[in-house]
Amino acid sequence: MKRTLFALVGAISLSACAQAPDPAKAPGAMASSANSAPKAPASAAPKAGTPEARAVEAIARLNPQVKADKVGAAPIPGFQEAIVAGQVVYVSNDGRYLFLPGSGGALFDVDARKNLSEGALASMRKELLKTIPVSERIVFAPANPKYTVSVFTDVECGYCRKFHSEIAEYNRQGIAVQYLAFPRMGLGSDDYKKMVSVWCAPDRRKALTDAKADHQVQSRSCKTSVNQQYDVGQRAGLTGTPMILAADGTQLGGYIPPAALRATLDKLAAESAKAAQAGPPGGAAGSR
């Protein structure tokens, strides 16, 4: 499972298969290391009222069970550097903002529990998705969907297979699923060739279902947009599959159970409606 700091603090849940395996981190080696490694000694609590203490408090506000292993001055002016769950993050001296390097370089508002970078990323993803027509996607939809999500998927990923095994329930929840190809092992891999075969099949829906169930799919070759879809996934900031995107480009996470995804989409729709009703700052409220 691929986890970011946001997953640890409960802001975003990402249950996804990594883009490619790391030979240095074989499952057996990881388990052995976890069982035998001694616990790191607890560091002394920083003095109250200091930037270090505010950084620790900010992380605790997000999730009291997540602890900073080390906090100190950062190379970025106005920030503290903290090591949390093996990741380096930066917290503003007032404890308001948390910056996560990598994975898109997200800036997080601790008080609002909001990813401030998501708006810009969502807008970009929405434009990128427009470059892949629906005719190039593999669609599973109910008669009158309430919501439509785009899902970058892979035929080998366990979480992708779990998601697809519940596709009928997603549809019963009023959610249309539009699949895009993201062979996580890379272009030219066996995984990629399987996905090309799926996209070249006369019945893509059946071929995708068969591939995810380890059933034989006839090897085929044709002109497809699989390469383009893979490129769009990378540009959209994909770090693992599945990646679920709402219609506005908001990243909802990796695998999310059907009822939970419906609840997330309902919440997102309510927030959007509320924002639209409020209008832009200085708009209707300030007019005569």
Side-chain angles (χ1 to χ4, degrees):
M1 181 184 296
K2 180 76 174 177
R3 288 184 180 271
T4 66
L5 175 67
F6 294 147
L8 293 174
V9 300
I12 298 176
S13 176
L14 289 178
S15 295
C17 300
Q19 193 163 324
D22 184 348
K25 295 183 178 180
M30 290 176 67
S32 174
S33 174
N35 291 333
S36 60
K39 293 183 178 180
S43 56
K47 185 177 179 181
T50 62
E52 293 91 341
R54 284 191 285 271
V56 171
E57 291 165 2
I59 293 168
R61 286 205 304 277
L62 291 172
N63 188 334
Q65 296 181 355
V66 176
K67 306 296 182 183
D69 295 312
K70 183 180 178 181
V71 180
I76 306 173
F79 281 78
Q80 295 296 304
E81 183 178 81
I83 298 178
V84 183
Q87 298 183 77
V88 176
V89 300
Y90 299 97
V91 183
S92 59
N93 287 342
D94 61 2
R96 174 69 186 272
Y97 300 104
L98 183 149
F99 176 66
L100 178 66
S103 300
L107 180 64
F108 198 71
D109 185 323
V110 176
D111 292 346
R113 298 178 64 85
K114 182 178 181 180
N115 183 346
L116 299 177
S117 305
E118 182 59 28
L121 289 170
S123 177
M124 179 195 69
R125 293 191 198 106
K126 184 177 179 180
E127 293 304 309
L128 285 172
L129 288 173
K130 289 179 180 178
T131 66
I132 309 295
V134 175
S135 61
E136 285 297 313
R137 308 180 188 193
I138 299 180
V139 181
F140 290 80
N144 298 293
K146 174 74 174 177
Y147 303 109
T148 297
V149 295
S150 299
V151 180
F152 283 92
T153 193
D154 174 84
V155 295
E156 299 289 351
C157 163
Y159 280 109
C160 296
R161 292 183 172 190
K162 181 173 177 59
F163 182 98
H164 191 65
S165 72
E166 300 173 291
I167 195 68
E169 183 57 31
Y170 287 105
N171 288 170
R172 278 193 288 271
Q173 291 286 343
I175 303 170
V177 175
Q178 297 184 353
Y179 281 122
L180 297 102
F182 193 89
R184 64 193 177 94
M185 300 307 291
L187 301 181
S189 64
D190 288 341
D191 184 29
Y192 165 80
K193 293 173 183 177
K194 287 181 182 179
M195 299 201 76
V196 168
S197 295
V198 167
W199 255 258
C200 290
D203 186 342
R204 292 177 179 174
R205 285 161 50 101
K206 182 179 185 303
L208 183 66
T209 299
D210 286 345
K212 287 178 179 286
D214 267 338
H215 295 162
Q216 185 67 34
V217 175
Q218 182 179 343
S219 179
R220 299 175 186 271
S221 180
C222 68
K223 184 178 180 180
T224 73
S225 62
V226 169
N227 289 43
Q228 182 186 2
Q229 294 177 44
Y230 180 82
D231 177 65
V232 167
Q234 289 188 312
R235 294 169 65 190
L238 185 150
T239 57
T241 51
M243 179 169 80
I244 307 172
L245 300 178
D248 67 352
T250 298
Q251 182 177 354
L252 304 178
Y255 168 75
I256 304 175
L261 181 57
R262 173 59 192 259
T264 298
L265 291 166
D266 284 341
K267 181 179 179 182
L268 187 63
E271 290 174 350
S272 297
K274 183 177 180 180
Q277 186 176 19
S287 62
R288 294 184 180 179

